[in-house]
Amino acid sequence: MEIKKISVIGGGTMGNGIAHVFALKNFKVNLVEISSELADKSLLNISKNLDRQVKKESISEKDKQEALSNINKIIGVDKTPPDSDLVIEAIYENKEAKLNIFNIINDIVKKDSIFASNTSSISITELSSASRPERFIGMHFMNPVPVMQLVEIIRGFSTSDDTYKAIRELSIKLDKVPVEVFDYPGFISNRILMPMINEAIFALMEGVASATDIDTVMKLGMNHPMGPLTLADFIGLDVCLAIMEVLYNGFNDSKYRPCPLLKKMVAAKKLGRKTGEGFFKYS
Ligand code: NAI
């Protein structure tokens, strides 16, 4: 089956990036939001991000206009077009809310379409249970979607080979680099990244070095573009804690225990960039 029509549920940080990259490659995209205002906000963000690409001359003004004309806004998940070949869910990270979305669209959208979730940590196998397990898959894009090349493709327990192949080929058409990952807590990206960030927070808590010096070690010593504590602030400390809890509970292994300092900072609402303060201060 050729995938031509895409529905993206949720037009937030990730959803608008996903709609952007598909629309730019001439796919027809339905952007599904909960209100007209939020859908407009999402489209405005896409337009601004396309402008940035026009300025850098990586796309033309005509490409931008065509991309925007490929996006159709839809209000309410129950209005998801039944002829969607692929539905990508990108609402907030909550298992019950996501299961509810898949439950609703399973009754509406044609039976041979594929369902994907952009979740960064919830089990694809569990999410697939509400709808069509063989035609269900994880498509974990990275933020910002138009810039980052990687897509982790996560195969749930029952994901069929055909579904995997279709999504792999589709990712390549988007000029992304897909990697095949099986469904274990944190997949690959967060299983490796988050314990590193957590360890950096332990080192800070134990007074091994200052926050700036910990980041300097990883930037200048390991050639990381950003230190782990700056990265944690960028991702959001609440998100980091939630993912560490997924790893800790999913593996029942103490090596994934969230650092007490991370917990304390989340309790104090020092969540990083979005609250103006985390390991560093932002104005
Ligand atoms: P966000 O909070 O920016 O956006 C979520 C959007 O979904 C909002 O615009 C909201 O109005 C919409 N929404 C909520 N309920 C809806 C419904 N019933 N129907 C239609 N739209 C609905 O969230 P973000 O950051 O884009 O995250 C989305 C998913 O992507 C999460 O599962 C997250 O774990 C994952 N993710 C996030 C990354 C990030 O850096 N932000 C990176 C990779 C994955």
Side-chain angles (χ1 to χ4, degrees):
M1 185 189 78
E2 205 186 339
I3 297 175
K4 287 184 183 151
K5 294 178 193 151
I6 320 281
S7 289
V8 179
I9 318 272
T13 308
M14 296 306 287
N16 83 57
I18 295 167
H20 172 140
V21 295
F22 275 105
L24 205 49
K25 289 286 174 190
N26 256 319
F27 289 88
K28 296 290 169 209
V29 182
N30 301 302
L31 184 60
V32 185
E33 257 295 348
I34 45 181
S35 71
S36 195
E37 291 71 28
L38 284 168
D40 288 341
K41 191 175 152 206
S42 182
L43 280 168
L44 188 66
N45 279 329
I46 295 173
S47 180
K48 279 188 196 158
N49 291 332
L50 285 165
D51 276 338
R52 216 172 283 166
Q53 286 176 292
V54 173
K55 240 182 225 161
K56 281 199 283 177
E57 296 183 358
S58 58
I59 64 168
S60 67
E61 179 63 30
K62 186 168 162 267
D63 294 333
K64 177 197 158 182
Q65 293 308 334
E66 274 174 13
L68 288 174
S69 71
N70 284 331
I71 306 175
N72 175 28
K73 77 178 195 192
I74 306 274
I75 310 308
V77 71
D78 55 330
K79 302 285 188 313
T80 304
D83 64 349
S84 311
D85 301 315
L86 168 67
V87 183
I88 304 177
E89 168 278 315
I91 70 160
Y92 54 96
E93 190 76 339
N94 177 286
K95 187 161 74 183
E96 281 64 42
K98 287 181 190 283
L99 281 170
N100 185 40
I101 296 281
F102 288 116
N103 235 324
I104 295 170
I105 59 173
N106 195 40
D107 291 338
I108 302 172
V109 179
K110 62 180 181 171
K111 292 291 166 224
D112 63 347
S113 79
I114 295 175
F115 288 178
S117 175
N118 185 54
T119 178
S120 41
S121 63
I122 301 170
S123 159
I124 293 301
T125 307
E126 280 182 50
L127 288 180
S128 73
S129 65
S131 53
R132 46 189 80 176
E134 293 191 345
R135 304 187 72 75
F136 196 104
I137 200 154
M139 249 185 133
H140 186 206
F141 289 89
M142 305 289 133
N143 184 21
V145 184
V147 176
M148 302 294 277
Q149 270 194 297
L150 178 71
V151 189
E152 267 189 309
I153 301 183
I154 300 111
R155 300 182 66 144
F157 193 83
S158 306
T159 305
S160 70
D161 287 343
D162 284 349
T163 301
Y164 168 68
K165 278 188 204 137
I167 296 303
R168 184 188 142 75
E169 279 162 24
L170 183 71
S171 305
I172 293 169
K173 276 190 196 162
L174 292 178
D175 288 337
K176 301 285 178 205
V177 178
V179 293
E180 179 182 24
V181 179
F182 291 89
D183 186 25
Y184 285 96
F187 315 133
I188 287 294
S189 49
N190 283 321
R191 180 173 180 167
I192 295 174
L193 174 67
M194 286 302 165
M196 184 193 70
I197 287 176
N198 199 46
E199 198 59 33
I201 305 171
F202 267 112
L204 179 68
M205 184 181 78
E206 290 164 13
V208 184
S210 69
T212 304
D213 286 349
I214 289 169
D215 274 10
T216 301
V217 167
M218 298 308 284
K219 277 194 294 184
L220 302 188
M222 317 298 154
N223 239 354
H224 289 195
M226 207 186 262
L229 300 174
T230 303
L231 182 56
D233 278 356
F234 182 75
I235 295 169
L237 301 197
D238 51 340
V239 176
C240 294
L241 177 59
I243 296 174
M244 281 314 294
E245 278 165 351
V246 166
L247 292 171
Y248 185 49
N249 297 326
F251 289 112
N252 285 311
D253 188 333
S254 64
K255 76 176 176 183
Y256 297 112
R257 72 198 187 285
C259 176
L261 176 59
L262 173 62
K263 288 182 163 177
K264 191 157 76 174
M265 289 180 69
V266 171
K269 300 220 163 35
K270 308 283 182 207
L271 305 181
R273 271 180 185 274
K274 61 186 165 190
T275 56
E277 188 180 346
F279 296 107
F280 302 98
K281 286 200 166 119
Y282 306 88
S283 52

